[in-house]
Amino acid sequence: MSVILSKENCLSHYKWGDNCDGWNFVSKANVVIKQELMPAQTAEKLHFHTYAEQFFYVLKGQATFLIENETILVNANNGLQIKAGDKHKISNGTNQDLEFILFSYPSTQNDRTDCE
């Protein structure tokens, strides 16, 4: 049976980084799909995934990515793929919330190495 998911009935809600929120919608060994919210002026730590690739799709705001020492700005209604092994981090340097959908394939569970 198909189920419509929302933030209210997702698999789980979690806090991460600088008081950021996340909602798990799909969590399987081969793929994870989440929605995440970063308040203004927040950032994640630089890290990499050995096996997982990731695709970020920005719903609201502007994301700043640092990928292998290259800075890339991604606006709403645009997405960015990150290859496995690339050191990366996302930040929100604006005064507005940043919301995005994150696809990780395969799962990043036990596949994250922090660099800072």
Side-chain angles (χ1 to χ4, degrees):
M1 180 167 89
S2 297
V3 177
I4 296 174
L5 296 175
S6 68
K7 291 179 183 177
E8 289 75 29
N9 71 337
C10 64
L11 297 175
S12 62
H13 170 261
Y14 56 94
K15 289 286 197 178
W16 62 278
D18 296 329
N19 200 32
C20 300
D21 286 286
W23 298 267
N24 281 311
F25 292 107
V26 174
S27 184
K28 298 183 178 196
N30 63 336
V31 65
V32 174
I33 303 173
K34 303 175 178 184
Q35 182 171 346
E36 295 188 332
L37 182 144
M38 297 181 75
Q41 303 300 317
T42 57
E44 179 182 37
K45 292 181 179 179
L46 185 68
H47 66 282
F48 67 91
H49 306 284
T50 301
Y51 304 105
E53 293 190 34
Q54 294 187 301
F55 180 78
F56 291 79
Y57 187 81
V58 178
L59 300 170
K60 176 183 171 187
Q62 181 183 67
T64 301
F65 288 89
L66 179 64
I67 305 171
E68 292 293 326
N69 297 316
E70 179 183 2
T71 300
I72 302 170
L73 300 178
V74 180
N75 294 312
N77 302 311
N78 291 279
L80 177 69
Q81 183 170 357
I82 299 175
K83 297 181 295 184
D86 281 357
K87 293 178 185 174
H88 64 280
K89 74 176 185 176
I90 184 173
S91 60
N92 179 7
T94 73
N95 292 322
Q96 300 176 19
D97 285 347
L98 167 63
E99 290 189 61
F100 55 92
I101 301 292
L102 172 56
F103 301 84
S104 300
Y105 44 95
S107 171
T108 57
Q109 186 172 8
N110 300 316
D111 181 29
R112 177 183 168 120
T113 303
D114 288 339
C115 302
E116 53 182 38

